[in-house]
Amino acid sequence: MENGRIKNIKRQILSDNWYTLNKYTFEYQKFDGSWEVQKRESYDCGDGAAVLLYNTRKGTVVLTRQFRMPTYVNENTDGMMVEVCAGLLDGLTPKECILKEILEETGYQLTEVKQVLVTYMCPGSVTQKLYLFIGEYQDAMKVESGGGADDETENIEVLEMPFENALQMMVSGAIRDAKTVMLLQYAQINKLIEVNS
């Protein structure tokens, strides 16, 4: 950390029941040169990786649908979210992680993916960096049923759909997950799949 406008950082762990909730107290130098004490809480759930699987010949993408409790308690009536495949690094490199997650969640076995972005998804309260990838899949790469790892209490539905449908779901609000919106927009901007006008 190399910001000369921050000093005397103190950390207090508030909870480490699932991941780690920290409280930071620090001095911050304002634009006028004066110093003030600030307090912030941040949630550390580890860095992660996500991937948009796409098939240029078929014009399709593979997404997932699963229940997300935090959205359920914040006005997502059924708690279900349509998302790109994703997971926590858990000591792996971003590429190793996402290749493992692709197989576990979707059943496709890819050997190559391309990293296109690195983002802080909620920088005001969450420390997580998310490495975003794209990966081209073929039908022959489907070697398992997917659905998530048994030991991770995942219950994931695999969705293959036309890219145009995914874009329409994003516009209509049926897809509201930020990483998924970013990767769908990346694919659209970079014309990974031709869209009929």
Side-chain angles (χ1 to χ4, degrees):
M1 294 185 280
E2 302 175 1
N3 187 337
R5 296 173 61 193
I6 300 172
K7 65 182 182 180
N8 299 327
I9 301 171
K10 295 182 179 121
R11 179 177 77 124
Q12 176 187 1
I13 296 175
L14 300 179
S15 172
D16 61 357
N17 190 37
W18 183 254
Y19 298 118
T20 306
L21 178 62
N22 294 298
K23 178 180 178 181
Y24 289 97
T25 304
F26 57 95
E27 292 179 55
Y28 182 80
Q29 187 176 32
K30 300 192 301 186
F31 292 123
D32 66 6
S34 65
W35 291 84
E36 69 180 0
V37 174
Q38 295 189 2
K39 297 177 181 179
R40 298 288 186 272
E41 292 180 7
S42 70
Y43 195 53
D44 184 354
C45 59
D47 294 340
V51 64
L52 177 66
L53 298 178
Y54 69 98
N55 183 305
T56 51
R57 185 183 61 78
K58 292 171 34 174
T60 54
V61 294
V62 171
L63 301 174
T64 65
R65 180 171 27 228
Q66 62 183 307
F67 178 76
R68 296 294 199 183
M69 186 61 171
T71 74
Y72 185 64
V73 297
N74 192 17
E75 300 185 2
N76 183 9
T77 53
D78 65 0
M80 301 303 288
M81 293 289 287
V82 176
E83 308 175 25
V84 290
C85 171
L88 296 176
L89 300 189
D90 289 331
L92 300 175
T93 68
K95 182 178 178 181
E96 290 169 341
C97 166
I98 206 58
L99 291 174
K100 176 181 79 71
E101 292 293 336
I102 291 169
L103 183 60
E104 285 179 2
E105 292 191 2
T106 71
Y108 288 90
Q109 188 163 46
L110 275 69
T111 56
E112 284 305 317
V113 289
K114 177 184 175 185
Q115 183 178 311
V116 294
L117 296 165
V118 180
T119 64
Y120 287 97
M121 296 302 292
C122 190
S125 58
V126 179
T127 62
Q128 184 180 66
K129 277 190 309 217
L130 199 57
Y131 298 84
L132 301 181
F133 291 83
I134 55 172
E136 188 159 9
Y137 75 95
Q138 307 296 333
D139 290 343
M141 296 175 177
K142 182 84 168 176
V143 296
E144 294 180 7
S145 59
D150 292 335
D151 63 343
E152 294 179 12
T153 63
E154 295 178 315
N155 187 25
I156 297 171
E157 181 183 358
V158 182
L159 308 172
E160 183 180 36
M161 67 179 69
F163 180 52
E164 290 185 61
N165 289 17
L167 294 178
Q168 289 166 3
M169 290 173 71
M170 182 180 67
V171 171
S172 73
I175 291 177
R176 293 186 281 175
D177 172 66
K179 65 187 177 294
T180 305
V181 169
M182 285 185 213
L183 282 168
L184 288 171
Q185 289 182 333
Y186 177 91
Q188 186 177 30
I189 290 166
N190 290 280
K191 299 180 174 25
L192 295 184
I193 299 175
E194 289 300 320
V195 177
N196 298 326
S197 329

